[in-house]
Each structure stands twice: as structure tokens, then as C-alpha cells.
Amino acid sequence: MVESIGTDSVRVRILQTSACAACQVASHCHASKSKEKIVDVLNTGDTSHLKVGDSVVVCASTKMANRALLLAFGIPFLILVCVLLIVLRLTSEEGIAAIAAILALVPYYGVLYLYRDRIRQQLSFYLE
């Protein structure tokens, strides 16, 4: 549902549900969850036909989803494992290796934070 319409973006409220939320026994199971989220859809083009309260379909490309997964999980996992193995090999101390591996993620997430606007432009949703 359209929350607000800006000059270059549309703010949309979506209901995020888990995969099992549509199951017939979901009301008896605690695994099914749903929550509302606000998503900014950037560079929407012509928004003259949209009004606040309209129902819209928000989409994302497979390429965008893969890039988001890589940035959020793939690269941090590789950094964590590589640093863990290297420090473990050099020191033979598991505790130091674990702490070093976790601390190695701080610069990575710092760089992601610094480039968040550029990443937001590349990883954007679109209206169908």
C-alpha cells in the first residue's frame, strides 16, 4: 500500500510474511511470523497515476537479490573463515583466531556503511 509519494521515490508499506504464514495450521504454530515494513522505491518514473492508499506490487530482480545476498552474507562469511583459518594457523590459539575473525568484519561493515547511498541506488525495488 502506498504510504507517501515523493519527487523521486514512493514509500510503500508491505506485509512481510514467513514462508509458512500461508499454511493452514499457521495459527497453531509459532514458527509463522509476519510484520509490516516500509520500503522506499526509488526512481519510479511517472507517479501521477498513484495515490496514497493504492495497492501496488513491489518487485526486485534476481540479479539485485543475488547482489544483496553476496554483500550481506557471502563476503562476510569468506572474510570470517579466511581470517579465522589464517590466524589459527599462525597462532594456534582458537580464542584469538575467533576474536580476530569477528573483528575483521568491522572494517567491512564500515565500508558498507560509508557506501550505503551508492548501494541503495544499485539495490533498489521497482513497482510493477
Side-chain angles (χ1 to χ4, degrees):
M1 181 177 303
V2 176
E3 260 313 284
S4 64
I5 302 169
T7 56
D8 62 346
S9 68
V10 175
R11 186 166 274 200
V12 179
R13 178 183 304 169
I14 60 173
L15 183 64
Q16 180 183 12
T17 57
S18 65
C20 58
C23 177
Q24 292 177 352
V25 293
S27 61
H28 303 292
C29 177
H30 296 298
S32 62
K33 294 181 181 177
S34 64
K35 58 183 172 179
E36 279 190 357
K37 288 192 170 197
I38 304 293
V39 175
D40 288 327
V41 181
L42 306 174
N43 304 326
T44 55
D46 181 28
T47 58
S48 61
H49 64 283
L50 294 175
K51 299 183 300 271
V52 174
D54 282 353
S55 291
V56 293
V57 177
V58 178
C59 300
S61 69
T62 304
K63 181 180 176 182
M64 191 265 320
N66 289 337
R67 184 177 293 152
L69 285 171
L70 182 68
L71 289 173
F73 300 108
I75 294 172
F77 177 75
L78 288 175
I79 292 170
L80 193 75
V81 170
C82 289
V83 171
L84 180 71
L85 293 175
I86 290 169
V87 175
L88 188 59
R89 178 99 167 150
L90 293 174
T91 66
S92 298
E93 293 286 333
E94 291 177 358
I96 292 172
I99 291 171
I102 292 170
L103 290 177
L105 294 176
V106 172
Y108 174 74
Y109 285 115
V111 169
L112 281 185
Y113 181 77
L114 291 174
Y115 286 99
R116 67 187 178 276
D117 292 330
R118 180 180 287 175
I119 293 169
R120 183 179 297 136
Q121 291 295 324
Q122 292 175 354
L123 302 178
S124 60
F125 298 97
Y126 61 92
L127 297 178
E128 194 171 76

